[in-house]
């Protein structure tokens, strides 16, 4: 048991939880105020463990550079790996480079390619996730781990249930995502009917930076850019 809680009564623990609401509110207010000023952005997700000499780091950098060259900013989780590659590409392309950092005991540290006035720090994953969904005009999802899957499936769920407006969700890397997409198709849809056929259209799988830009530009040729809820 957590030593900080061991000697506290249940009522004292719950009182501390109530006061935490004010810290949570502060993170929401700070995030809303800063991110509402940055303009249309695309979020890039992926593993913090991806090294600069690896294929998907280099591809994330190319994608990000191309995104800013087409008029969007880039938002990442602010850390190393794919996140660093995303901010680096935006920085090299002369575009907006935003980092939504989270305090973690391992892996996470700020990368040096975030704009000085566009680095936000969060203690709460759920507040940070709201910022990604609210202020992103698209999700570009590179190969990653549980955190990447968490962001991906939350966005799909919110769009599927009409809690937010639809936006492009682009999975990069058929060699990585192909097995998951096949499982969703064959198991969730065909075998168990736990989703509907149109749900398969909520994501698109690509391999190149040009395909990413084509999807974004085609989508926003039809829809206006605005926060998602």
């Amino acid at each position: 048991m957590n030593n900080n809680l061991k000697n506290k009564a249940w009522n004292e623990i719950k009182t501390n939880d109530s006061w935490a609401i004010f810290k949570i509110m502060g993170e929401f207010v700070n995030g809303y105020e800063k991110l509402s000023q940055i303009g249309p952005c695309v979020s890039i997700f992926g593993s913090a463990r991806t090294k600069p000499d690896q294929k998907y780091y280099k591809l994330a950098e190319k994608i990000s550079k191309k995104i800013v060259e087409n008029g969007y900013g880039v938002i990442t989780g602010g850390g190393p790996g794919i996140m660093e590659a995303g901010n680096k590409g935006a920085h090299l392309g002369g575009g907006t480079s935003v980092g939504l950092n989270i305090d973690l005991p391992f892996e996470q540290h700020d990368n040096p390619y975030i704009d000085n006035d566009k680095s936000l720090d969060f203690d709460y994953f759920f507040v940070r996730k709201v910022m990604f969904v609210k202020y992103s005009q698209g999700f570009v999802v590179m190969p990653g781990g549980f955190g990447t899957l968490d962001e991906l499936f939350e966005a799909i769920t919110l769009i599927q249930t009409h809690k937010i407006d639809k936006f492009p969700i682009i999975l990069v890397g058929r060699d990585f995502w192909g097995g998951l997409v096949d499982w969703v198709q064959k198991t969730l849809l065909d075998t168990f009917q736990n989703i509907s056929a149109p749900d398969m259209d909520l994501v698109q799988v690509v391999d190149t930076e040009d395909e990413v830009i084509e999807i974004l530009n085609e989508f926003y040729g039809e829809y206006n850019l605005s926060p998602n809820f």
Side-chain angles (χ1 to χ4, degrees):
M1 186 176 188
N2 188 320
N3 288 331
N4 293 326
L5 300 179
K6 185 165 55 178
N7 298 318
K8 293 183 178 180
W10 179 255
N11 184 61
E12 187 180 358
I13 294 169
K14 293 299 100 182
T15 300
N16 289 340
D17 288 347
S18 297
W19 281 105
I21 291 172
F22 293 100
K23 185 176 180 182
I24 294 166
M25 288 172 59
E27 287 201 357
F28 274 116
V29 170
N30 184 52
Y32 282 179
E33 286 184 346
K34 290 188 175 180
L35 291 172
S36 64
Q37 301 175 31
I38 64 174
C41 286
V42 173
S43 286
I44 296 180
F45 300 95
S47 176
R49 307 183 190 198
T50 307
K51 305 302 181 187
D53 62 346
Q54 292 180 332
K55 167 185 170 182
Y56 282 110
Y57 183 105
K58 296 174 182 177
L59 182 55
E61 186 179 328
K62 290 179 183 177
I63 289 170
S64 181
K65 187 171 185 290
K66 196 132 192 173
I67 284 172
V68 300
E69 289 171 350
N70 278 264
Y72 307 94
V74 166
I75 302 174
T76 80
I82 293 295
M83 295 174 281
E84 178 183 284
N87 288 124
K88 183 178 180 181
H91 177 75
L92 294 175
T96 297
S97 181
V98 182
L100 307 184
N101 309 299
I102 188 78
D103 184 24
L104 295 177
F106 58 91
E107 291 185 0
Q108 185 81 352
H109 57 78
D110 296 359
N111 71 67
Y113 301 105
I114 304 167
D115 294 346
N116 290 332
D117 61 338
K118 296 181 180 68
S119 180
L120 287 76
D121 295 312
F122 296 90
D123 283 327
Y124 298 98
F125 262 116
F126 63 89
V127 178
R128 180 177 179 245
K129 287 165 69 178
V130 169
M131 300 304 151
F132 278 121
V133 171
K134 183 173 179 63
Y135 292 105
S136 298
Q137 268 62 58
F139 275 17
V140 174
V141 191
M142 310 294 295
F146 288 140
T148 302
L149 295 173
D150 181 41
E151 299 284 0
L152 168 63
F153 280 108
E154 177 167 46
I156 293 172
T157 301
L158 291 171
I159 292 172
Q160 180 206 44
T161 55
H162 304 288
K163 290 297 184 181
I164 64 171
D165 293 334
K166 184 178 180 180
F167 60 79
I169 301 175
I170 306 166
L171 309 182
V172 180
R174 287 184 172 88
D175 58 346
F176 183 86
W177 295 109
L180 176 63
V181 173
D182 286 346
W183 178 81
V184 171
Q185 172 74 53
K186 295 174 183 176
T187 302
L188 293 189
L189 179 59
D190 296 342
T191 302
F192 289 92
Q193 294 87 48
N194 287 338
I195 61 172
S196 302
D199 294 335
M200 295 300 301
D201 298 328
L202 297 178
V203 299
Q204 299 179 72
V205 187
V206 305
D207 283 313
T208 68
E209 62 270 31
D210 289 335
E211 290 174 291
V212 171
I213 296 303
E214 182 179 350
I215 291 169
L216 290 171
N217 287 341
E218 181 178 348
F219 185 88
Y220 286 110
E222 301 178 29
Y223 297 89
N224 293 324
L225 292 171
S226 64
N228 296 313
F229 60 87

